[in-house]
């Protein structure tokens, strides 16, 4: 099972990074590859490939990482819903990406697909999947949010009509900055601890989500990448990126899992934007595009 999942994840990482380099175009930025192996005395064993593109024409920073690690004890962030596996040895692998575009009219995007397996001594291995994708615009467009959500719905449809509304609601609840009572973006889909379809069908669902990512995101990039912008839009983009940093450091289970389990810090934090800013009690003028982001787009609405 591990080899089958690993092979798919490596292929997915390669397809996605190749597609982004094509968007950058001839002479554009290229991904730098950092293949790593955990040292013998590390609390985690395993390997991975971190690919990072920086200072590109389209993407200011784009990170896409594959990791495959095992450890002697599941961290607390992975046993919230499986207390019977607390302290069990585990194996985890996944692809995680965050793309921060240069143009403020192009949204930031996140996608993650992963598998975790664990077993108590003498017990049968338990395997589950998690992941999803979500969109974080700075200047929102209804047609972009609708396209993203339709693509997510279509990826899940072969596995049950109830999955999209369930995972969409889960995404809205998960990507919520509780300390600000604010959504991070327009959402998408999110699922965790998922194994209810059995291994083969659950893995097939994971693949459908991973394979849908480029079709969900790249048409939006192509629609917005040449939109003119100035200092006002750039300032707002950096301000909203601050919210992204807050969520990833304070609430994100994936970040916590990596840090709690002794993971590779550089790879865990590849999701951070290259630049971000904070402003004390910022208020945007009523009716402005900046105010509309919060009033209309950060509301967890039904985009279909």
């Amino acid at each position: 099972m591990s080899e089958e999942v690993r092979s798919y994840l490596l292929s997915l990482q390669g397809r996605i990074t190749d597609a982004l380099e094509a968007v950058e175009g001839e002479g554009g930025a290229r991904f730098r590859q950092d293949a790593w192996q955990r040292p013998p005395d590390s609390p985690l064993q395993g390997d991975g490939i971190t690919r990072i593109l920086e200072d590109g024409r389209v993407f200011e920073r784009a990170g896409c990482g594959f990791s495959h690690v095992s450890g002697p004890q599941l961290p607390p962030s992975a046993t919230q819903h499986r207390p019977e596996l607390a302290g069990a040895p585990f194996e985890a692998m996944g692809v995680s990406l965050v793309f921060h575009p240069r143009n403020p009219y192009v949204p930031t995007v996140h996608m993650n697909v992963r598998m975790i397996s664990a077993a108590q001594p003498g017990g049968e291995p338990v395997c589950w999947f998690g992941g999803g994708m979500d969109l974080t615009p700075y200047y929102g467009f209804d047609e972009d949010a609708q396209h993203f959500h339709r693509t997510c719905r279509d990826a899940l449809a072969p596995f049950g009509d109830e999955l999209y509304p369930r995972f969409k609601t889960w995404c809205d609840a998960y990507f919520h900055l509780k300390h600000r009572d604010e959504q991070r973006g327009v959402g998408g889909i999110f699922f965790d601890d998922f194994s209810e379809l059995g291994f083969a069908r659950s893995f097939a669902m994971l693949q459908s989500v991973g394979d849908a990512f480029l079709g969900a995101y790249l048409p939006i990039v192509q629609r917005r990448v040449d939109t003119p912008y100035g200092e006002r839009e750039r300032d707002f983009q950096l301000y909203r990126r601050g919210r992204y940093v807050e969520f990833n450091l304070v609430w994100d289970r994936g970040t916590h899992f990596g840090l709690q389990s002794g993971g590779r810090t550089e790879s865990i934090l590849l999701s951070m934007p290259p630049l971000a800013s904070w402003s004390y009690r910022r208020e945007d003028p009523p009716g402005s595009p900046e105010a509309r982001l919060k009033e209309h787009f950060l509301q967890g609405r039904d985009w279909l």
Side-chain angles (χ1 to χ4, degrees):
M1 291 190 299
S2 293
E3 286 307 311
E4 184 181 5
V5 178
R6 179 185 173 100
S7 176
Y8 168 73
L9 293 172
L10 285 169
S11 169
L12 179 66
Q13 183 190 37
R15 284 184 281 132
I16 290 172
T17 54
D18 286 350
L20 250 68
E21 288 185 349
V23 172
E24 281 288 317
E26 186 176 351
R30 293 295 180 260
F31 279 92
R32 175 164 56 97
Q33 179 164 301
D34 184 11
W36 50 269
Q37 182 90 30
R38 299 296 301 183
D41 59 349
S42 169
L44 286 182
Q45 292 299 301
D47 65 303
I49 299 172
T50 298
R51 290 180 179 162
I52 186 81
L53 180 154
E54 295 181 295
D55 199 26
R57 179 185 69 88
V58 177
F59 295 98
E60 195 169 4
R61 190 167 197 251
C64 183
F66 163 79
S67 65
H68 182 185
V69 298
S70 60
Q73 183 174 324
L74 272 170
S77 58
T79 57
Q80 291 179 8
H81 305 295
R82 296 179 182 267
E84 74 279 5
L85 292 174
F90 72 95
E91 178 182 18
M93 66 181 82
V95 165
S96 182
L97 64 83
V98 176
F99 299 156
H100 293 288
R102 185 175 297 280
N103 189 318
Y105 286 98
V106 182
T108 284
V109 72
H110 158 260
M111 193 273 287
N112 172 265
V113 284
R114 60 187 178 273
M115 182 193 83
I116 300 177
S117 62
Q120 290 288 4
E124 288 293 319
V126 178
C127 174
W128 65 95
F129 297 92
M133 64 181 97
D134 67 288
L135 195 69
T136 304
Y138 307 100
Y139 290 89
F141 297 88
D142 283 17
E143 63 181 310
D144 293 352
Q146 290 161 1
H147 168 79
F148 193 82
H149 277 269
R150 278 197 303 268
T151 308
C152 290
R153 177 201 61 192
D154 293 348
L156 294 170
F159 306 93
D161 291 340
E162 78 285 356
L163 291 184
Y164 167 75
R166 177 176 147 199
F167 292 175
K168 189 268 184 194
T169 301
W170 201 345
C171 185
D172 289 340
Y174 182 78
F175 292 105
H176 181 78
L177 284 78
K178 299 178 182 66
H179 61 291
R180 293 189 183 274
D181 191 22
E182 182 178 295
Q183 296 300 120
R184 188 171 83 171
V186 298
I189 53 173
F190 176 85
F191 59 97
D192 204 358
D193 300 292
F194 188 87
S195 59
E196 63 197 57
L197 300 178
F199 176 83
R201 289 280 288 168
S202 296
F203 179 38
M205 188 200 75
L206 186 87
Q207 293 175 81
S208 187
V209 170
D211 294 345
F213 169 73
L214 291 173
Y217 184 57
L218 290 190
I220 298 171
V221 175
Q222 292 157 356
R223 230 176 355 239
R224 307 298 170 199
V225 68
D226 294 322
T227 305
Y229 68 92
E231 186 176 340
R232 167 180 167 170
E233 291 87 352
R234 177 64 168 171
D235 176 70
F236 187 64
Q237 179 193 44
L238 298 188
Y239 166 68
R240 292 302 311 177
R241 279 182 180 176
R243 297 290 205 268
Y244 212 89
V245 172
E246 289 178 23
F247 179 86
N248 281 15
L249 293 181
V250 177
W251 300 109
D252 186 64
R253 282 183 66 191
T255 302
H256 296 170
F257 177 91
L259 297 176
Q260 290 170 0
S261 61
R264 189 171 184 266
T265 302
E266 284 295 311
S267 297
I268 296 164
L269 298 181
L270 62 75
S271 63
M272 294 298 145
L275 296 170
S277 68
W278 282 261
S279 177
Y280 183 73
R281 299 188 68 180
R282 172 175 174 141
E283 293 186 13
D284 294 297
S288 67
E290 293 81 8
R292 179 168 159 76
L293 178 75
K294 189 169 183 179
E295 293 165 359
H296 180 71
F297 289 95
L298 306 185
Q299 298 297 325
R301 64 176 63 243
D302 179 2
W303 290 106
L304 298 182

